[in-house]
Amino acid sequence: MSEGATPQGFSGLTAWSSDSRSPLRDFLRTETGSAVVLMAAALAALAWANAAPAAYEALWHTELSVRVGRYGVGLGLREWVNSGLMAVFFFVVGLEARREFDMGELRERKRVTLPLLAGLSGMLVPVGVYLAVNAGEPSARGWGAAMSTDTAFALGMLALIGNRMPPGLRVFILTLSVVDDFVALAVVAGVYSGPLSMAALLWAAAVFALVLVARAAGLRCGAVYALLGVVLWLALLESGIDPVVTGLAMGLLTSAHPAARSELERASDLFRFFREQPTPDLERSLRRGLASAISPNERLRQQYHLWTSFVVAPLFALANAGIELSGEQLSRAFTSPITLGVLLALVLGKPLGILGASSLTTLLSGGRLRPPAGWGAVAVGGSLAGAAFTVSLLIADLAFDGTQLADAKVGVLSAVLCSFALGLLLTRLLSLLPKRPRLRALLGRAEAMVDLAVPVDPERDHVRGPSDAPVTVVEYADFECPYCGRAEPVIRELLRDVGDVRYVWRHLPLNDVHPHAQLAAEAAEAAAGQQRFWEMHDLLLDHQGALLAPDLLRYAAELGLDTERFRRDLAAHRGAARVAEDVESADLSGVSGTPTFFVNGRRHHGAYDIAGLKAAVREARARAVVMG
């Protein structure tokens, strides 16, 4: 690897059966980055509302009408943001929830139970706290503003805390927030909507039935679903139910699945045809082939995620977070049962509800159901879940007006700050514990999900490193893949610097893009027949541009192998069956390209530079210590 190799070189991938980048990781990075923009928009709204309150309110009450002939919709700008653009925001939330259910951490259905119960308890307890503070007051009707979690703020604050928290906590918070959003939007539709029009509601049900029929028929035309979604939104708006629920429903119906190998091979064939004859017809066929290889969920999530994170959510904050913060108003707000109810519900009720439900579920299940992180980390996550914003402000706007609305907004914004302070305090306290109790408090004893379908067999697999190492790194790779060549020095450095790691190479020759990879893999197996696999492995990766049969024979001679036996084995393809077994195991594990790494059976996502792999190894070693 050259000295000028860029970090991007350690995140490249030669595609095989699907894109190996983790949508969950991309989602977390996007939400974390957008938290800064979201906070900036909220601060801008506060500054604007205090500098020119009349202008601020006048703008967001400006009516915008869209008409087609005799039919039209007229709403204020704030309503367009809250009910229109936020429907797109929750569409992306629904996409991510469905992706996790189909392909991610929640594909094992038993893992859904605990975060579902914790999410529900993390809403019910805050509602109880709010109602207790507002007992007998007209303001009790605003209980819905005290129960929600804002995903962007919660994950953004988790990122600010740093890498002290385990990755499982991020997944836990994401799952809680999805449950939170689903229930909160159901509350919006059922409790905070206006008088219902049954005729419009029946139209909405009919349109939703058409969506289900189109989905059952396998229709993949995005324009049709977009049109049905718009009609459903209009029908719900007319019915009196807040149409923001349309987005979440449409997102949850959009299935996710890894690309099938046959579809990707067909896409590769179409690309070759187009390269040989670049005609408009072949261009259209190629575009359709590429689109069909990727699930609609993945395409739509990538298409809309940046827009919702960096445009829609900040616009919502700009439209709703503006309140006048005079000393008199703050003095009144912090004696108001609305402000105190929201603040106490989110800062204290949220973590108590989440921790209580998680511990009770673990106890009643006899330890079979555990959170994906330790109890200390869950406490931190519960405190950060008190960072309500998006849905809380949405419900507050529906439940209150005037000074009551301002009091509710003060409570919501204060809860964001207090939740972060509480999370930071708990993190600092955890860092003071001795090493082993700290690891147990952070990582817990939940059984980790294993992504590697075929376990490592020392009698069969090609293994480097101590046999009793607590951490095993498996790489699916291709001798002709340039990214595998860039990863090899990293693996050597990892084995040199970290002594208790076992490394396993498994073959995944990508024959449709690397024509010499299969023969090179068989050459490595021929060398393995003479107990020289790793020596041949190193030579092949050092000479990736020279993998023809004469080159392979020359390498065999350099290694002092029985070249005649090596030639016979290569000509008879004696190693082909062994290579095919590795390819089948890659298929079972959902491997989508080379190189793909597994650390103690868990798939490693992200960069495979030395820092990224060392971090994954450290976490796996710590978890092995806790579980041991």
Side-chain angles (χ1 to χ4, degrees):
M1 183 177 66
S2 66
E3 292 295 326
T6 63
Q8 287 81 359
F10 296 107
S11 58
L13 185 83
T14 300
W16 180 47
S17 63
S18 67
D19 181 4
S20 74
R21 293 188 317 167
S22 164
L24 176 60
R25 296 285 177 163
D26 286 349
F27 177 82
L28 296 174
R29 272 199 300 272
T30 301
E31 291 299 326
T32 299
S34 70
V36 177
V37 180
L38 191 60
M39 180 60 79
L43 293 175
L46 287 170
W48 184 5
N50 283 274
Y56 177 82
E57 288 299 326
L59 174 68
W60 295 112
H61 281 96
T62 302
E63 184 167 324
L64 174 64
S65 296
V66 178
R67 306 196 66 83
V68 178
R70 295 187 298 117
Y71 303 97
V73 178
L75 299 172
L77 289 182
R78 181 175 285 138
E79 292 175 280
W80 277 113
V81 172
N82 292 356
S83 296
L85 291 181
M86 288 305 290
V88 182
F89 176 89
F90 286 109
F91 173 65
V92 176
V93 172
L95 289 175
E96 184 58 32
R98 181 57 188 263
R99 189 266 161 197
E100 281 301 300
F101 196 75
D102 288 347
M103 297 171 57
E105 296 288 334
L106 302 181
R107 67 183 184 271
E108 288 186 5
R109 297 301 182 244
K110 69 176 184 178
R111 294 178 182 267
V112 180
T113 305
L114 189 143
L116 175 63
L117 294 175
L120 291 173
S121 176
M123 302 180 82
L124 292 174
V125 173
V127 168
V129 171
Y130 179 88
L131 290 176
V133 174
N134 287 267
E137 300 288 339
S139 56
R141 70 179 184 277
W143 56 267
M147 65 182 187
S148 184
T149 294
D150 189 282
T151 308
F153 268 127
L155 294 176
M157 292 190 300
L158 186 60
L160 291 175
I161 287 175
N163 59 3
R164 305 171 217 173
M165 293 295 111
L169 181 59
R170 290 173 170 82
V171 178
F172 188 61
I173 291 177
L174 174 61
T175 309
L176 290 176
S177 67
V178 169
V179 174
D180 197 302
D181 288 337
F182 187 81
V183 175
L185 291 186
V187 168
V188 169
V191 178
Y192 293 104
S193 296
L196 297 182
S197 167
M198 293 307 299
L201 200 56
L202 288 174
W203 273 107
V207 174
F208 190 68
L210 283 177
V211 173
L212 296 178
V213 170
R215 182 178 177 275
L219 182 65
R220 294 178 63 97
C221 180
V224 172
Y225 289 105
L227 178 61
L228 290 173
V230 170
V231 175
L232 178 61
W233 185 89
L234 291 170
L236 287 176
L237 179 68
E238 187 67 23
S239 73
I241 293 178
D242 195 306
V244 74
V245 298
T246 303
L248 189 62
M250 296 294 287
L252 288 171
L253 287 176
T254 308
S255 61
H257 56 78
R261 231 162 89 188
S262 58
E263 292 177 339
L264 283 172
E265 289 170 353
R266 178 173 173 270
S268 296
D269 291 340
L270 289 171
F271 179 77
R272 280 195 292 270
F273 295 153
F274 176 74
R275 186 176 181 182
E276 294 167 0
Q277 191 177 2
T279 65
D281 287 342
L282 286 177
E283 185 271 339
R284 284 192 293 271
S285 297
L286 174 60
R287 192 182 298 275
R288 287 195 297 268
L290 291 174
S292 65
I294 302 173
S295 73
N297 185 292
E298 177 74 5
R299 285 188 288 108
L300 291 168
R301 193 189 62 82
Q302 293 290 345
Q303 183 176 350
Y304 289 108
H305 214 148
L306 286 176
W307 286 102
T308 56
S309 295
F310 290 97
V311 177
V312 174
L315 269 177
F316 175 86
L318 193 63
N320 291 275
I323 52 175
E324 294 184 61
L325 296 177
S326 65
E328 180 183 348
Q329 174 157 355
L330 288 176
S331 177
R332 188 201 70 247
F334 284 108
T335 58
S336 164
I338 296 176
T339 302
L340 294 176
V342 170
L343 184 59
L344 293 174
L346 294 172
V347 177
L348 297 181
K350 270 286 184 183
L352 288 176
I354 291 170
L355 264 174
S358 298
S359 57
L360 186 60
T361 302
T362 301
L363 179 65
L364 294 178
S365 68
R368 291 189 301 274
L369 299 177
R370 293 178 178 270
W375 292 111
V378 172
V380 173
S383 65
L384 297 182
F389 192 81
T390 310
V391 179
S392 287
L393 290 181
L394 181 67
I395 295 177
D397 189 62
L398 295 170
F400 300 119
D401 54 25
T403 58
Q404 288 188 327
L405 177 57
D407 291 345
K409 288 182 177 182
V410 170
V412 170
L413 295 175
S414 300
V416 172
L417 299 176
C418 292
S419 295
F420 177 67
L422 180 58
L424 189 60
L425 175 63
L426 291 174
T427 303
R428 295 289 169 82
L429 292 176
L430 288 172
S431 68
L432 299 177
L433 294 174
K435 182 178 180 180
R436 186 177 288 271
R438 184 175 71 251
L439 290 177
R440 188 176 296 113
L442 292 175
L443 298 175
R445 300 183 63 86
E447 183 180 342
M449 182 182 294
V450 176
D451 301 313
L452 188 67
V454 179
V456 172
D457 181 359
E459 299 297 322
R460 173 195 171 279
D461 279 304
H462 302 297
V463 181
R464 261 180 172 165
S467 59
D468 59 347
V471 180
T472 299
V473 177
V474 176
E475 178 184 6
Y476 281 95
D478 170 331
F479 286 115
E480 198 175 355
C481 167
Y483 302 114
C484 298
R486 294 177 187 177
E488 178 59 19
V490 175
I491 294 298
R492 295 178 188 177
E493 183 179 349
L494 182 70
L495 293 173
R496 184 182 68 245
D497 295 348
V498 185
D500 54 350
V501 173
R502 182 174 61 162
Y503 170 69
V504 177
W505 167 284
R506 286 183 176 176
H507 301 288
L508 183 56
L510 308 181
N511 301 319
D512 55 337
V513 289
H514 298 147
H516 309 112
Q518 177 69 30
L519 190 62
E522 293 177 17
E525 290 303 320
Q530 301 186 44
Q531 310 304 313
R532 303 297 292 276
F533 171 84
W534 288 109
E535 292 87 344
M536 179 63 76
H537 162 277
D538 295 345
L539 275 175
L540 294 174
L541 286 175
D542 287 341
H543 301 86
Q544 289 188 299
L547 298 178
L548 297 175
D551 302 313
L552 303 177
L553 291 170
R554 186 173 72 254
Y555 303 149
E558 287 180 21
L559 295 175
L561 301 181
D562 181 340
T563 54
E564 188 57 35
R565 176 185 169 186
F566 181 87
R567 186 196 306 271
R568 288 197 307 270
D569 289 347
L570 206 57
H573 299 286
R574 288 198 173 92
R578 173 67 175 74
V579 173
E581 290 177 4
D582 280 358
V583 172
E584 182 181 3
S585 73
D587 200 3
L588 292 172
S589 301
V591 176
S592 56
T594 57
T596 294
F597 293 91
F598 293 82
V599 181
N600 276 4
R602 292 299 308 270
R603 187 165 179 162
H604 172 69
H605 296 288
Y608 44 84
D609 57 4
I610 190 63
L613 284 179
K614 277 187 175 179
V617 166
R618 280 196 302 270
E619 183 194 344
R621 186 193 294 117
R623 188 171 292 278
V625 168
V626 171
M627 298 301 291

